[in-house]
Amino acid sequence: MQLRAWLTRHDFPPDTRLPPERELAVILGVSRGDLRKALATLEAEGHLWRHVGKGTFIGARKMEVMSLAEIDRETNPAEVMRTRLLIEPIIAREAALNATSKHLEALRRCVRRTHKATTWRQYETADNELHRCIAEATDNRLLLALFDALNAVRRAVVWGLLRANTDRPPEDHHSFAEHDRIIEAIESRDLEGAGRAMYLHLRAVERNLIERDFAGD
């Protein structure tokens, strides 16, 4: 294949843009039809990538990662909750494995703040801090960064559904006992228990969100 040999001779660095097809066909002495077949073959092998309107480039196509602002516009509360159900139980397991006494004390302080909240907004702020403290307790910076990205989307997408009144959570609010079970499992180094407690907690949160939507809150 003339194209493969030509590329080998020139050893272009990644992301080098190749000449337009018409010009490249002349350089190689092939028809444009044969050139396109060669380009398609090398693209399938990961040696080239093409962008309509921009041209053909050396190397594998770069992953196009959406920004958080773009994700905010594209996702919805249901997707956010499904993602939390996948990720946060794993985070809780890792916290049970790696939490230090300092982490555990921070978790207890966060729990106390949720109980002392005098408005729903204060409660949600304390709840947010609690979940982040659990992520910090993993002692895994990459996992914490993933949590922060997910949490930023959650705050943008879900917090708009929060109650606007100034009432505080009831004394028997389901999350109080659920948080206690999560923290107890983390303190006991119970990886399975921590993951399960987090999953059940988030399922309860998910049900409340759905009920709130149907109730028109």
Side-chain angles (χ1 to χ4, degrees):
M1 181 193 292
Q2 292 97 318
L3 177 57
R4 192 190 300 274
W6 183 77
L7 292 174
T8 299
R9 286 197 307 272
H10 288 80
D11 192 23
F12 295 114
D15 295 327
T16 298
R17 189 167 113 176
L18 298 183
E21 284 186 8
R22 185 185 303 275
E23 182 180 338
L24 189 55
V26 172
I27 292 172
L28 298 174
V30 299
S31 69
R32 292 186 68 179
D34 287 342
L35 174 61
R36 285 171 182 160
K37 290 178 183 177
L39 289 170
T41 297
L42 292 181
E43 183 178 24
E45 294 175 358
H47 299 300
L48 303 173
W49 64 278
R50 290 184 279 183
H51 190 295
V52 177
K54 291 186 178 180
T56 302
F57 300 84
I58 297 293
R61 182 185 296 274
K62 292 182 178 180
M63 292 182 62
E64 297 182 1
V65 180
M66 288 193 295
S67 68
L68 290 180
E70 290 172 323
I71 295 172
D72 291 350
R73 293 193 295 269
E74 295 293 332
T75 192
N76 56 64
E79 284 188 351
V80 171
M81 286 307 309
R82 286 199 297 273
T83 306
R84 293 187 71 191
L85 283 163
L86 290 169
I87 292 178
E88 292 196 51
I90 295 173
I91 289 175
R93 285 174 54 91
E94 287 297 299
L97 181 64
N98 296 297
T100 65
S101 59
K102 188 174 180 179
H103 290 135
L104 294 173
E105 180 54 36
L107 290 173
R108 296 187 197 101
R109 287 196 301 269
C110 289
V111 166
R112 288 195 291 270
R113 282 199 292 273
T114 64
H115 284 275
K116 292 179 180 179
T118 58
T119 67
W120 276 106
R121 180 64 65 176
Q122 287 182 4
Y123 169 79
E124 290 291 343
T125 297
D127 175 74
N128 180 66
E129 292 174 355
L130 173 61
H131 282 264
R132 192 178 194 280
C133 279
I134 294 172
E136 289 177 344
T138 65
D139 198 28
N140 184 319
R141 287 175 293 181
L142 180 55
L143 198 53
L144 178 59
L146 291 173
F147 170 82
D148 282 341
L150 172 59
N151 199 37
V153 174
R154 178 184 75 88
R155 289 164 64 95
V157 174
V158 179
W159 274 36
L161 302 177
L162 298 178
R163 293 171 173 81
N165 60 41
T166 56
D167 293 340
R168 60 171 294 166
E171 293 294 331
D172 61 349
H173 183 47
H174 68 92
S175 286
F176 292 144
E178 292 161 7
H179 286 159
D180 288 341
R181 284 191 285 271
I182 294 168
I183 305 309
E184 288 167 3
I186 291 174
E187 288 181 322
S188 302
R189 305 294 182 192
D190 181 358
L191 278 66
E192 293 297 328
R196 183 171 59 254
M198 179 63 80
Y199 179 84
L200 293 174
H201 167 55
L202 294 176
R203 285 288 290 170
V205 172
E206 182 182 43
R207 285 193 297 272
N208 281 358
L209 279 174
I210 293 172
E211 290 170 1
R212 192 183 309 171
D213 280 348
F214 283 123
D217 290 347

